[in-house]
Coordinates of all heavy atoms in Angstrom, one line a residue:
L175 N 113.9 99.6 85.1 CA 113.7 98.2 84.8 C 113.2 97.9 83.3 O 113.9 97.2 82.6 CB 112.7 97.5 85.7 CG 112.1 96.2 85.4 CD1 113.2 95.1 85.4 CD2 111.0 95.8 86.3
D176 N 112.1 98.5 83.0 CA 111.5 98.2 81.7 C 112.3 98.6 80.5 O 112.5 97.8 79.6 CB 110.1 98.9 81.6 CG 109.2 98.6 82.8 OD1 109.5 97.7 83.6 OD2 108.3 99.3 83.0
Q177 N 112.8 99.8 80.5 CA 113.6 100.3 79.4 C 114.9 99.6 79.3 O 115.4 99.3 78.2 CB 113.8 101.8 79.5 CG 112.5 102.6 79.3 CD 111.6 102.7 80.6 OE1 112.1 102.3 81.7 NE2 110.4 103.2 80.5
A178 N 115.6 99.3 80.4 CA 116.8 98.6 80.4 C 116.6 97.2 79.8 O 117.4 96.7 79.0 CB 117.4 98.5 81.8
A179 N 115.5 96.5 80.2 CA 115.3 95.2 79.7 C 115.1 95.2 78.2 O 115.6 94.4 77.4 CB 114.0 94.6 80.4
S180 N 114.3 96.2 77.7 CA 113.9 96.3 76.3 C 115.2 96.6 75.5 O 115.3 96.2 74.3 CB 112.8 97.3 76.1 OG 112.4 97.3 74.8
T181 N 116.1 97.3 76.1 CA 117.3 97.7 75.3 C 118.5 96.8 75.5 O 119.3 96.6 74.5 CB 117.7 99.2 75.7 OG1 116.6 100.0 75.4 CG2 118.9 99.7 74.9
L182 N 118.7 96.3 76.7 CA 120.0 95.6 77.0 C 119.9 94.1 77.0 O 121.0 93.4 77.0 CB 120.5 96.1 78.4 CG 120.8 97.5 78.5 CD1 121.0 97.9 80.0 CD2 122.1 97.8 77.8
C183 N 118.7 93.5 76.9 CA 118.6 92.0 77.0 C 119.2 91.4 75.8 O 119.2 91.9 74.7 CB 117.2 91.6 77.2 SG 116.6 91.8 78.9
T184 N 119.6 90.1 76.0 CA 120.1 89.3 74.8 C 119.4 88.0 74.9 O 119.0 87.5 76.0 CB 121.6 89.0 74.8 OG1 121.9 88.4 76.1 CG2 122.4 90.4 74.7
A185 N 119.2 87.4 73.7 CA 118.4 86.1 73.6 C 119.1 85.0 74.5 O 120.3 84.9 74.6 CB 118.4 85.6 72.2
G186 N 118.2 84.2 75.1 CA 118.7 83.1 76.0 C 119.2 83.5 77.3 O 119.7 82.7 78.1
H187 N 119.1 84.8 77.6 CA 119.6 85.3 78.9 C 118.6 86.2 79.6 O 117.7 86.8 79.0 CB 120.9 86.2 78.7 CG 122.0 85.5 78.1 ND1 122.1 85.2 76.7 CD2 123.1 84.9 78.7 CE1 123.2 84.5 76.5 NE2 123.9 84.3 77.6
A188 N 118.8 86.3 81.0 CA 118.2 87.3 81.7 C 119.2 88.4 82.0 O 120.4 88.2 81.9 CB 117.7 86.8 83.1
L189 N 118.8 89.6 82.3 CA 119.7 90.8 82.5 C 119.7 91.1 84.0 O 118.7 91.4 84.6 CB 119.2 92.0 81.7 CG 119.9 93.3 82.0 CD1 121.2 93.3 81.1 CD2 119.0 94.5 81.7
F190 N 120.9 90.9 84.6 CA 121.1 91.3 86.0 C 121.6 92.7 86.0 O 122.7 93.0 85.5 CB 122.1 90.3 86.6 CG 122.5 90.7 88.0 CD1 121.5 91.2 88.9 CD2 123.8 90.7 88.4 CE1 121.9 91.5 90.2 CE2 124.2 91.1 89.7 CZ 123.2 91.5 90.6
L191 N 120.8 93.6 86.5 CA 121.1 95.0 86.5 C 121.1 95.6 87.9 O 120.2 95.4 88.7 CB 120.0 95.8 85.7 CG 120.2 97.3 85.6 CD1 121.4 97.7 84.8 CD2 118.9 98.0 85.1
D192 N 122.2 96.2 88.2 CA 122.4 97.0 89.5 C 121.9 98.4 89.2 O 122.5 99.1 88.4 CB 123.8 97.0 89.9 CG 124.1 97.8 91.2 OD1 123.3 98.7 91.4 OD2 125.1 97.5 91.8
C193 N 120.7 98.8 89.8 CA 120.1 100.0 89.4 C 120.7 101.2 90.1 O 120.2 102.4 90.0 CB 118.6 100.0 89.7 SG 117.7 98.8 88.7
R194 N 121.9 101.0 90.8 CA 122.6 102.2 91.3 C 123.9 102.4 90.4 O 124.1 103.5 89.9 CB 123.0 102.0 92.7 CG 124.0 103.1 93.2 CD 124.3 103.0 94.6 NE 123.2 103.6 95.4 CZ 123.1 103.5 96.7 NH1 123.9 102.7 97.4 NH2 122.1 104.1 97.3
S195 N 124.7 101.4 90.3 CA 125.9 101.5 89.5 C 125.7 101.4 88.0 O 126.5 101.8 87.2 CB 126.9 100.5 89.9 OG 126.5 99.2 89.5
F196 N 124.5 100.8 87.7 CA 124.1 100.5 86.3 C 125.0 99.5 85.7 O 125.1 99.3 84.5 CB 124.1 101.8 85.4 CG 123.1 102.8 85.9 CD1 123.5 104.1 86.2 CD2 121.8 102.4 86.1 CE1 122.6 105.0 86.7 CE2 120.9 103.4 86.6 CZ 121.3 104.6 86.9
D197 N 125.8 98.7 86.5 CA 126.5 97.6 86.0 C 125.5 96.5 85.6 O 124.5 96.4 86.3 CB 127.4 97.0 87.1 CG 128.7 97.9 87.3 OD1 129.0 98.7 86.5 OD2 129.3 97.7 88.4
S198 N 125.8 95.8 84.5 CA 124.8 94.8 84.2 C 125.6 93.5 83.7 O 126.7 93.6 83.3 CB 123.8 95.3 83.1 OG 124.5 95.5 81.9
R199 N 124.9 92.4 83.8 CA 125.5 91.1 83.4 C 124.4 90.3 82.7 O 123.3 90.2 83.2 CB 126.1 90.5 84.6 CG 126.8 89.2 84.3 CD 127.9 88.9 85.4 NE 127.4 88.7 86.7 CZ 127.0 87.5 87.2 NH1 127.0 86.5 86.5 NH2 126.6 87.4 88.5
Q200 N 124.8 89.6 81.7 CA 123.9 88.7 81.0 C 124.0 87.3 81.8 O 125.0 86.7 81.9 CB 124.2 88.5 79.6 CG 124.3 89.7 78.7 CD 122.9 90.4 78.5 OE1 121.9 89.7 78.6 NE2 122.9 91.7 78.3
V201 N 122.8 86.9 82.3 CA 122.8 85.6 83.0 C 122.1 84.5 82.2 O 121.0 84.7 81.8 CB 122.0 85.8 84.4 CG1 121.9 84.5 85.1 CG2 122.6 86.9 85.2
P202 N 122.9 83.5 81.8 CA 122.3 82.5 80.9 C 121.0 81.9 81.5 O 121.0 81.6 82.7 CB 123.4 81.4 80.8 CG 124.6 82.1 81.2 CD 124.3 83.2 82.1
L203 N 120.0 81.7 80.7 CA 118.8 81.1 81.1 C 118.4 79.9 80.2 O 117.4 80.0 79.4 CB 117.7 82.2 81.0 CG 116.6 82.3 82.1 CD1 117.2 82.3 83.5 CD2 115.8 83.5 81.9
P204 N 119.2 78.8 80.3 CA 119.0 77.7 79.4 C 117.8 76.8 79.9 O 118.0 75.7 80.3 CB 120.3 76.9 79.4 CG 120.8 77.2 80.8 CD 120.3 78.6 81.2
L205 N 116.6 77.4 79.8 CA 115.4 76.7 80.3 C 115.2 75.3 79.7 O 115.0 74.3 80.4 CB 114.2 77.6 80.1 CG 114.2 78.9 80.9 CD1 113.3 79.9 80.4 CD2 113.9 78.6 82.4
G206 N 115.3 75.3 78.4 CA 115.0 74.0 77.7 C 116.0 72.9 78.1 O 115.6 71.8 78.4
E207 N 117.3 73.3 78.1 CA 118.3 72.3 78.5 C 118.1 71.8 80.0 O 118.4 70.7 80.3 CB 119.7 73.0 78.6 CG 120.4 73.1 77.2 CD 121.6 73.9 77.3 OE1 122.3 73.9 78.3 OE2 121.8 74.7 76.3
A208 N 117.5 72.7 80.8 CA 117.2 72.3 82.2 C 115.8 71.6 82.3 O 115.4 71.2 83.4 CB 117.2 73.5 83.1
G209 N 115.2 71.3 81.1 CA 113.9 70.7 81.2 C 112.8 71.5 81.8 O 111.8 71.0 82.3
L210 N 112.9 72.8 81.6 CA 112.0 73.8 82.2 C 111.4 74.7 81.2 O 111.9 74.8 80.1 CB 112.7 74.6 83.3 CG 113.3 73.9 84.4 CD1 114.2 74.8 85.2 CD2 112.3 73.3 85.3
E211 N 110.3 75.4 81.5 CA 109.8 76.5 80.7 C 109.1 77.5 81.7 O 108.7 77.1 82.8 CB 108.8 76.0 79.6 CG 107.5 75.3 80.1 CD 106.7 74.7 79.0 OE1 107.3 74.3 78.0 OE2 105.5 74.5 79.2
I212 N 109.0 78.7 81.2 CA 108.3 79.7 81.9 C 107.0 80.1 81.2 O 107.0 80.6 80.1 CB 109.2 81.0 82.2 CG1 110.4 80.6 83.1 CG2 108.4 82.1 82.7 CD1 111.4 81.7 83.4

Side-chain angles (χ1 to χ4, degrees):
L175 167 66
D176 307 343
Q177 292 81 8
S180 188
T181 298
L182 295 167
C183 279
T184 58
H187 295 80
L189 174 81
F190 173 43
L191 176 70
D192 178 332
C193 296
R194 169 172 283 163
S195 68
F196 302 122
D197 287 342
S198 66
R199 181 151 66 84
Q200 303 291 335
V201 178
L203 218 52
L205 293 160
E207 278 169 40
L210 299 169
E211 63 188 25
I212 291 179

